[in-house]
Amino acid sequence: MKPIFTIGAAATLALALSACELRRDGDEDQAMTGEDATTPDPMASPTPTQSASPVASIIRDDTAPEEESVVLPVQPVEISVPFPDGSDISAAAERRLAGLMNQAAIEEEWPVRLSGHTDSGGNDQANLRASRARAEAVAAWLVERGVDDERIEIIAFGEQNPIAPNAKPDGTPNEEGRRRNRRVEISVMPEDEDTDGDAETPAANAETDQDA
């Protein structure tokens, strides 16, 4: 029985030594690689450090085309300047002319037409002179403020082309209408857009002796 016991003990000891050797080899491998011996589960969800999608770029795209600004064309201008009394430029007329100087059209090299008008009082020659004097007063005002006098065209219409009745239905003078008719109409536009609207309006006459 002594040899059997010795062989059994030797076998047990050999198995124990073999297990220790295997465990030591595993520890050495882990120490050399620095990796966890546990095999990751391929079905497990990604950890916070393992992104499931690529990180969005925070770099700004400077190559995007810039939007083009739309430049609107300059529009022609037509205004009426009142001359209720004589040919002097009133405060109301000054405000109208100041507004004209703020328009983009005045900066263009377009013709500036000044059409002088009167009411129907007085004779035709006096009315023509009065209408021209009013248009010339406006021309001088514009030239003083930098408008080239070669652009300016003056037309005296006299009592033609009223914009309001010079007389009431009973024949008496319409003072309000006459004040409105004493004016200078200004147009600033290209030559091909000039319609000559004033010249096409028929004259309206009323026999009175009121001032033009």
Side-chain angles (χ1 to χ4, degrees), residues 25-102:
D25 291 343
D27 292 340
E28 289 179 355
D29 291 342
Q30 180 177 352
M32 293 178 62
T33 59
E35 296 178 354
D36 192 352
T38 303
T39 303
D41 185 357
M43 300 300 294
S45 299
T47 62
T49 59
Q50 295 175 339
S51 176
S53 60
V55 179
S57 174
I58 61 172
I59 300 176
R60 186 178 60 187
D61 187 3
D62 293 332
T63 61
E66 297 182 357
E67 294 184 0
E68 295 183 0
S69 58
V70 178
V71 179
L72 298 177
V74 179
Q75 298 298 319
V77 174
E78 292 182 284
I79 67 171
S80 180
V81 179
F83 278 83
D85 299 299
S87 59
D88 295 332
I89 296 179
S90 64
E94 186 106 23
R95 289 192 293 270
R96 293 283 183 92
L97 293 171
L100 173 65
M101 296 302 296
N102 292 328

Side-chain angles (χ1 to χ4, degrees), residues 20 41 43 51 57 98 108 111 114 134 149-150 170 191 210 212:
C20 290
D41 185 357
M43 300 300 294
S51 176
S57 174
E108 301 291 328
L114 308 179
R134 289 167 181 158
D149 59 353
E150 294 184 356
D170 61 2
E191 292 184 3
Q210 297 293 329

